Amino acid sequence: MTEQEEPKLTYGGYLDLDAILNAQHPLAPESEAPGVRAAEHFFIVTHQAFELWFKQLLLDLDHAATILPPPHSDAELALDHLQRVASILRLLVQQMVLFDNLSPRSFLAFRPYLGSASGSESGQFREVQRALGLRGQSGSPAFNAFTAALEARGLSLEDTYREPSKAGVLYRVAEALVDVSEQFWQLCAVHVQIAERTIGQRPGTGGTTGVSYLAEGLESAKAFPELWAVRTRL
Ligand code: HEM
């Protein structure tokens, strides 16, 4: 290799695996049974994977919202992004189910070390809620972009659902948004279930009542209510 040549790109370098694979730091001391540290490692990895997927789906939602509005609407490409968001959420529902394999006993063994740290501090989760119009006043940018694209074609939501062929790709965009809404709600619902399975009715580490607090949140976790309401009016 001459002095000017760039070092060869490697798999690990490209993916920054050194950083990623050294970012798991269980807090339970070595003196705990070995299974406890393995369980905590599992807990950490799962949450980290969630955060990585949140990052990706925020990127896709943002991109869909950028390319959907008229006059240069690229609804086919936006559809790809929205379908990917729905697939990621479907994967995350399954990933939540992984916690069925974390026994209450193992979790309780390392839970005291978490202090007051809680999933409710996830900034990216709040951003996902915002992107879906479930937080803040401005509504979902992706959904607003979709309605702008519909208006530019002179279509109402009723038209879109009564005559899908006339609406074409925008009908499929509407249904991709319904998938996103449904999978996000499923994710919140399965989170309540795994919380109950793991900690029963104990309070959360973040200071809430725990499962009952999470169950109440389900009432307001359905994104894009217009797309659910139109079904009743057809
Ligand atoms: C054993 C597994 C889990 C248990 C027992 C659990 C339990 C809880 C509880 C009790 C709360 C209520 C807040 C509090 O007082 O702490 C909460 C909130 C939350 N958790 Fe989890 N959780 C688990 C896994 C996860 C995972 C894997 C994620 C993914 C990032 C997650 C994300 C969240 C978020 C975003 C909130 C805030 C929800 C809201 O306020 O709308 N949790 N969790």
Side-chain angles (χ1 to χ4, degrees):
M1 189 174 84
T2 65
E3 261 180 43
Q4 280 84 20
E5 265 181 309
E6 292 281 316
K8 189 171 151 287
L9 187 65
T10 63
Y11 174 79
Y14 179 62
L15 298 176
D16 212 351
L17 287 184
D18 261 355
I20 290 179
L21 297 179
N22 286 296
Q24 295 72 39
H25 308 290
L27 293 173
E30 303 278 358
S31 54
E32 290 279 1
V36 171
R37 278 175 70 87
E40 189 180 357
H41 187 273
F42 165 76
F43 185 81
I44 293 170
V45 167
T46 316
H47 280 79
Q48 287 175 334
F50 262 95
E51 292 292 338
L52 283 175
W53 284 122
F54 286 159
K55 188 175 180 201
Q56 180 62 46
L57 74 84
L58 282 166
L59 202 62
D60 282 317
L61 277 173
D62 184 56
H63 205 62
T66 307
I67 60 180
L68 252 182
H72 304 296
S73 183
D74 188 344
E76 287 288 353
L77 191 58
L79 181 62
D80 283 347
H81 287 283
L82 292 172
Q83 286 176 336
R84 185 155 66 200
V85 171
S87 294
I88 292 171
L89 286 168
R90 205 168 279 120
L91 173 78
L92 292 181
V93 171
Q94 287 310 308
Q95 194 167 285
M96 212 40 114
V97 173
L98 278 177
F99 283 99
D100 286 355
N101 305 115
L102 177 65
S103 70
R105 193 180 69 157
S106 303
F107 185 47
L108 289 179
F110 68 81
R111 194 176 189 233
Y113 303 104
L114 304 180
S116 62
S118 161
S120 55
E121 293 166 346
S122 167
Q124 287 203 111
F125 182 78
R126 301 296 173 219
E127 275 185 58
V128 173
Q129 288 178 312
R130 217 167 283 125
L132 298 180
L134 297 170
R135 178 170 278 261
Q137 303 304 316
S138 45
S140 160
F143 186 76
N144 294 345
F146 162 69
T147 50
L150 270 190
E151 276 166 28
R153 291 262 318 270
L155 292 167
S156 67
L157 269 186
E158 283 84 349
D159 301 332
T160 308
Y161 275 86
R162 286 203 180 107
E163 292 188 80
S165 298
K166 200 168 149 199
V169 62
L170 290 181
Y171 171 73
R172 297 202 305 278
V173 168
E175 283 298 275
L177 288 167
V178 173
D179 277 344
V180 168
S181 171
E182 184 169 286
Q183 292 307 317
F184 182 77
W185 190 88
Q186 294 284 355
L187 178 62
C188 296
V190 77
H191 178 235
V192 181
Q193 274 177 300
I194 62 103
E196 182 168 14
R197 185 165 171 158
T198 320
I199 59 169
Q201 300 302 322
R202 284 168 183 264
T205 49
T208 72
T209 52
V211 169
S212 56
Y213 160 82
L214 292 174
E216 276 165 33
L218 282 182
E219 302 286 327
S220 50
K222 203 168 257 184
F224 321 134
E226 297 86 341
L227 289 171
W228 294 99
V230 70
R231 291 159 146 75
T232 317
R233 296 198 299 273
L234 294 180

